[in-house]
Amino acid sequence: MDSLFKNLRPGLLFAGFALIAGLWLRARNLAQHPFWLDEAYSAFAADKGYAFIWNILPTYETHPPFFSALLRSWTLLAGNSLQAYRALGVVAGMLILPVIWLAGNEIERGLGRKTASIALPALALAAVLPSFVDTARLVRPYYLLTLTYAGTTWALMRAARVYREAGEIDRRGWAGYLVGIALLPWLHNLGLLYLASAALALLLLIGPLAFVRRHWRRFLIGHVIAALAILPAFLILLDQAPTWAGSTWLKFDPATVPGDMMLLFGLPGLFGLAAAAILAGYALANRPDCRTSAALLLMALLPSALALIVTITVAPVFLPRTLVASGAPLVLLVASGANRSLVTRTLFALLLISALIRVVRVQALPPQENWYGAARWLVPKMTQGDRIYAYPNEGALPLRYALRDLKMTAEIRQIPSEIPAHDPAGWYATGSRGVQSLPPWRLRQIATDSTSSATPTIWLIRLSPGLYDKQDMFLSILKQNRTASAHFREGPIDIVGLRLRSSQPTPSQQPQP
């Protein structure tokens, strides 16, 4: 027992350092940057409460409401500050690490490998992997998707090991797999791609004939139960898909695929890609059981391959952040080849160092959307009676959270209304039912109604100008009776101050459709 402890002690010490590094990377300067648009959407729904989340959110949000409901529950315990919202990602991001360890341990036991020879390098790589760290710091469902996919991978590795040893389906592994595939589609609309990958990996690990001949009842009943649990989320997806496919603003560029693949797997540049490929090659070539490594490779690559197929044939869904969960099985595959020789250990150490450097450099970059800078520029310039107009309306979401964090106040009018927008004259220009574009006659009505006529200066916020209002019609209409007095632009944020001239049309002069 004493000799075993002595052998494990260096590994446990290294694991402790990896956990500390993982926590530091995920939690450092957590409130340094404001919410960007997608995070503000998540916080907005959670702040609205459960009734909004389950009844209204599915009418405009392309993703199922489970993450928002969980986020709401978290805020009731931790509060709804910026730090509290992001703390859930830190907790879930850290939980990924022991799950990766357990999955690595199952692989070691199944292959007769030395204790911690796979689990320890997998834990270390997951702790500093840029994609895992980045998504853990965002108020989006990606970290829960990764945690669930990692747990599903553990369940499959356990089920495969027990089946090889005893010829039976392990109850804990089977239950973990079913829970995993049931949760994946509820966390994200691409969860179905992960589900398909996990199901195929299960058949690869145990064999389809084994299920058909010996365990068909368990297989059928388990998947029927999971399908019934998934059905409401699938119906939400079917309802939202036509709007998204018909009008999304996202475009697919094949030239970006190699870079996107490195981003979603968290590989630090070309060296990271080469190192991961070499180590994965060692794992694939030097194993007594090729099914385990093949299943890990399938679970790592198939979600991206399916996303590319859907992107090419239906609508763009190949986005790096949505596919970060694929990194969980890849980490295990790379770790399986990391301890084969001095060369592989050295290469793996260099991969860890380069990943750590990449994370630190990325965290030093400015925010994606500098709403703090926009608020600090805007509010001091506003005078009594001024209003902020947000067109499209979603621009008001991150601005309001930035104002809250800075303890500033300003009156904001969302055009045409708060999310979700349902103006009879509008249409959904980019695949989201929460945001509308409006025709020129409706924009003129808004520009000359009683509220606008009584506003000395309208501060028009346009998020990604030209996306919803391609000809900048609203800005042009407002300029007919107003003078541009100030302009702020940084990244996608564009703010124009429009001061009312001495003479302006009255509401009775509003043009009619």
Side-chain angles (χ1 to χ4, degrees):
M1 187 69 180
D2 291 339
S3 62
L4 177 63
F5 178 74
K6 289 179 180 179
N7 291 332
L8 287 177
R9 187 164 54 185
L12 292 175
L13 185 62
F14 184 75
F17 279 124
L19 290 172
I20 293 172
L23 179 60
W24 178 71
L25 291 173
R26 286 158 177 79
R28 65 190 293 260
N29 299 325
L30 199 60
Q32 179 181 3
H33 298 321
F35 284 140
W36 62 292
L37 180 62
D38 287 7
E39 289 183 295
Y41 263 108
S42 298
F44 170 75
D47 284 341
K48 285 288 188 178
Y50 294 115
F52 181 91
I53 289 169
W54 292 107
N55 297 319
I56 307 299
L57 187 64
T59 66
Y60 72 88
E61 176 62 71
T62 57
H63 306 303
F66 180 78
F67 169 71
S68 296
L70 185 62
L71 192 62
R72 171 64 177 176
S73 301
W74 171 262
T75 60
L76 293 177
L77 297 174
N80 66 346
S81 66
L82 178 67
Q83 295 93 327
Y85 268 116
R86 287 190 173 148
L88 177 59
V90 175
V91 173
M94 289 302 296
L95 287 176
I96 292 170
L97 304 185
V99 173
I100 290 288
W101 173 282
L102 291 173
N105 182 257
E106 289 295 342
I107 297 172
E108 295 163 0
R109 294 174 64 185
L111 300 178
R113 294 277 293 273
K114 184 180 177 181
T115 301
S117 61
I118 296 175
L120 188 58
L123 171 67
L125 182 56
V128 301
L129 197 68
S131 56
F132 284 8
V133 174
D134 179 52
T135 52
R137 295 166 61 86
L138 299 177
V139 188
R140 296 298 288 163
Y142 312 130
Y143 51 76
L144 290 179
L145 198 65
T146 304
L147 176 59
T148 303
Y149 200 49
T152 307
T153 305
W154 162 81
L156 288 172
M157 296 301 105
R158 178 180 175 84
R161 176 185 65 81
V162 173
Y163 191 81
R164 284 195 297 268
E165 293 174 354
E168 297 294 336
I169 302 297
D170 176 66
R171 290 184 178 181
R172 282 198 291 172
W174 182 245
Y177 162 76
L178 292 178
V179 171
I181 64 172
L183 277 178
L184 287 167
W186 274 106
L187 288 169
H188 197 276
N189 56 16
L190 294 190
L192 291 172
L193 307 185
Y194 293 107
L195 183 157
S197 302
L200 289 176
L202 173 69
L203 295 178
L204 178 61
L205 286 166
I206 296 179
L209 293 180
F211 272 114
V212 171
R213 292 173 180 173
R214 300 183 57 189
H215 310 290
W216 66 270
R217 287 188 180 87
R218 182 192 296 265
F219 185 85
L220 180 62
I221 294 173
H223 284 88
V224 167
I225 293 173
L228 292 174
I230 293 166
L231 182 59
F234 183 67
L235 294 177
I236 293 172
L237 175 61
L238 287 181
D239 179 60
Q240 295 287 342
T243 304
W244 175 265
S247 56
T248 179
W249 58 274
L250 295 173
K251 304 296 180 184
F252 174 62
D253 183 2
T256 66
V257 171
D260 288 342
M261 293 293 289
M262 286 190 287
L263 280 176
L264 73 92
F265 286 125
L267 301 176
L270 292 177
F271 168 77
L273 177 63
I278 292 171
L279 294 173
Y282 268 92
L284 291 165
N286 296 282
R287 309 194 79 140
D289 177 21
C290 62
R291 287 189 177 187
T292 301
S293 54
L296 291 173
L297 185 64
L298 182 147
M299 293 183 71
L301 297 182
L302 188 57
S304 298
L306 294 175
L308 280 172
I309 293 172
V310 174
T311 294
I312 295 170
T313 59
V314 182
V317 297
F318 182 76
L319 304 172
R321 279 197 179 100
T322 64
L323 296 165
V324 162
S326 303
L330 183 68
V331 162
L332 291 164
L333 183 62
V334 169
S336 299
N339 202 24
R340 306 301 296 183
S341 66
L342 178 61
V343 173
T344 60
R345 286 190 287 270
T346 302
L347 187 61
F348 183 76
L350 293 175
L351 177 60
L352 287 180
I353 295 171
S354 61
L356 178 61
I357 293 173
R358 173 61 64 90
V359 170
V360 174
R361 286 180 175 176
V362 168
Q363 291 183 357
L365 295 175
Q368 297 185 56
E369 297 172 6
N370 187 15
W371 289 102
Y372 287 160
R376 291 189 179 104
W377 177 89
L378 174 59
V379 173
K381 291 178 171 55
M382 298 183 68
T383 59
Q384 186 175 3
D386 287 359
R387 289 182 175 88
I388 298 170
Y389 277 32
Y391 181 63
N393 56 358
E394 64 183 7
L397 299 183
L399 177 61
R400 280 177 173 159
Y401 284 106
L403 292 172
R404 181 201 67 174
D405 296 341
L406 298 175
K407 296 179 172 56
M408 296 177 173
T409 59
E411 188 172 351
I412 302 176
R413 181 181 181 183
Q414 295 176 248
I415 309 298
S417 66
E418 189 178 89
I419 293 173
H422 298 295
D423 194 296
W427 65 93
Y428 304 112
T430 62
S432 171
R433 292 181 182 175
V435 190
Q436 286 183 306
S437 292
L438 299 176
W441 67 265
R442 182 71 180 99
L443 293 173
R444 290 191 186 95
Q445 283 186 338
I446 295 171
T448 57
D449 63 15
S450 58
T451 301
S452 298
S453 299
T455 304
T457 301
I458 290 176
W459 298 89
L460 177 63
I461 290 186
R462 300 171 299 159
L463 193 56
S464 298
L467 190 60
Y468 286 89
D469 190 0
K470 297 186 182 301
Q471 283 77 41
D472 252 344
M473 290 299 301
F474 196 35
L475 178 61
S476 300
I477 291 169
L478 288 171
K479 281 184 175 180
Q480 292 175 6
N481 304 298
R482 295 175 178 271
T483 301
S485 59
H487 191 193
F488 173 92
R489 183 162 192 174
E490 184 174 338
I493 306 171
D494 191 287
I495 307 174
V496 181
L498 298 156
R499 187 175 61 250
L500 189 65
R501 294 173 187 166
S502 56
S503 61
Q504 73 273 6
T506 63
S508 62
Q509 296 174 308
Q510 296 173 9
Q512 298 300 316

